[in-house]
Amino acid sequence: MTVTGIITAIIVGLIIGALGRLVVPGKQPIPIWLTIIIGIVAAFIGSFIAGAVGFATGSGFHIGELILQVVVAALGVFLVSGMYGRRSVHR
Protein backbone atom coordinates (compact mmCIF):
# COMPACT_ATOMS: atom_id res chain seq x y z
CA MET A 1 0.00 0.00 0.00
CA THR A 2 1.37 3.38 -0.99
CA VAL A 3 1.25 6.66 0.90
CA THR A 4 -1.36 7.88 -1.58
CA GLY A 5 -3.48 4.79 -0.88
CA ILE A 6 -3.30 5.38 2.86
CA ILE A 7 -4.24 9.06 2.50
CA THR A 8 -7.11 8.12 0.18
CA ALA A 9 -8.36 5.51 2.68
CA ILE A 10 -8.34 8.12 5.46
CA ILE A 11 -10.23 10.66 3.34
CA VAL A 12 -12.80 8.09 2.18
CA GLY A 13 -13.10 6.85 5.78
CA LEU A 14 -13.75 10.37 6.99
CA ILE A 15 -16.46 10.93 4.39
CA ILE A 16 -18.13 7.52 4.86
CA GLY A 17 -17.90 7.83 8.66
CA ALA A 18 -19.39 11.33 8.61
CA LEU A 19 -22.24 10.21 6.36
CA GLY A 20 -22.86 7.22 8.62
CA ARG A 21 -22.86 9.52 11.63
CA LEU A 22 -25.39 11.81 9.96
CA VAL A 23 -27.74 8.88 9.33
CA VAL A 24 -27.83 7.84 13.00
CA PRO A 25 -30.28 10.05 14.93
CA GLY A 26 -29.23 11.83 18.10
CA LYS A 27 -25.85 12.76 19.47
CA GLN A 28 -23.03 10.24 19.27
CA PRO A 29 -20.47 10.59 22.09
CA ILE A 30 -17.56 9.26 20.03
CA PRO A 31 -14.44 11.17 18.95
CA ILE A 32 -13.69 12.02 15.34
CA TRP A 33 -10.76 9.59 15.13
CA LEU A 34 -13.12 6.74 16.00
CA THR A 35 -15.57 7.95 13.34
CA ILE A 36 -12.74 7.85 10.77
CA ILE A 37 -11.77 4.31 11.78
CA ILE A 38 -15.41 3.19 11.58
CA GLY A 39 -15.66 4.84 8.15
CA ILE A 40 -12.52 3.10 6.84
CA VAL A 41 -13.68 -0.30 8.08
CA ALA A 42 -17.20 0.34 6.73
CA ALA A 43 -15.79 1.31 3.33
CA PHE A 44 -13.91 -1.99 3.09
CA ILE A 45 -16.84 -4.08 4.36
CA GLY A 46 -19.33 -2.23 2.15
CA SER A 47 -17.12 -2.70 -0.91
CA PHE A 48 -16.76 -6.41 -0.15
CA ILE A 49 -20.52 -6.86 0.24
CA ALA A 50 -21.21 -4.82 -2.91
CA GLY A 51 -18.79 -6.98 -4.88
CA ALA A 52 -20.30 -10.18 -3.51
CA VAL A 53 -23.85 -9.07 -4.32
CA GLY A 54 -22.90 -7.69 -7.73
CA PHE A 55 -23.47 -3.96 -7.13
CA ALA A 56 -19.85 -3.03 -7.87
CA THR A 57 -19.08 -4.36 -11.32
CA GLY A 58 -16.13 -2.90 -13.18
CA SER A 59 -14.29 0.21 -12.09
CA GLY A 60 -15.51 3.65 -11.15
CA PHE A 61 -18.22 5.05 -8.89
CA HIS A 62 -21.26 2.94 -8.02
CA ILE A 63 -24.14 4.39 -6.01
CA GLY A 64 -25.16 0.97 -4.66
CA GLU A 65 -21.69 0.48 -3.23
CA LEU A 66 -21.76 3.93 -1.61
CA ILE A 67 -25.16 3.25 -0.06
CA LEU A 68 -23.93 -0.06 1.38
CA GLN A 69 -20.83 1.64 2.79
CA VAL A 70 -22.91 4.36 4.47
CA VAL A 71 -25.35 1.78 5.90
CA VAL A 72 -22.47 -0.25 7.32
CA ALA A 73 -20.92 2.95 8.74
CA ALA A 74 -24.24 3.98 10.31
CA LEU A 75 -24.55 0.56 11.91
CA GLY A 76 -20.96 0.81 13.16
CA VAL A 77 -21.49 4.32 14.57
CA PHE A 78 -24.72 3.18 16.26
CA LEU A 79 -23.08 0.15 17.88
CA VAL A 80 -19.86 1.89 18.91
CA SER A 81 -21.60 5.00 20.26
CA GLY A 82 -23.83 2.76 22.37
CA MET A 83 -20.81 1.02 23.85
CA TYR A 84 -18.67 4.17 24.08
CA GLY A 85 -21.42 6.17 25.79
CA ARG A 86 -21.82 3.57 28.54
CA ARG A 87 -18.20 3.83 29.62
CA SER A 88 -18.21 5.40 33.03
CA VAL A 89 -16.35 5.12 36.30
CA HIS A 90 -18.35 3.66 39.18
CA ARG A 91 -17.17 4.69 42.61
Side-chain angles (χ1 to χ4, degrees):
M1 179 162 256
T2 64
V3 174
T4 306
I6 294 171
I7 293 171
T8 303
I10 292 171
I11 293 170
V12 169
L14 177 64
I15 294 168
I16 297 296
L19 289 173
R21 199 168 177 162
L22 286 174
V23 172
V24 177
K27 186 177 183 215
Q28 296 82 34
I30 58 175
I32 190 69
W33 63 265
L34 192 52
T35 302
I36 294 171
I37 291 173
I38 292 169
I40 292 170
V41 171
F44 284 120
I45 293 172
S47 293
F48 176 77
I49 294 171
V53 176
F55 283 165
T57 56
S59 62
F61 176 76
H62 299 282
I63 191 72
E65 183 177 9
L66 177 65
I67 291 171
L68 276 173
Q69 290 171 338
V70 172
V71 167
V72 171
L75 182 62
V77 167
F78 177 75
L79 292 174
V80 170
S81 67
M83 290 185 294
Y84 198 85
R86 291 194 182 116
R87 290 178 41 182
S88 62
V89 176
H90 297 288
R91 295 181 188 196

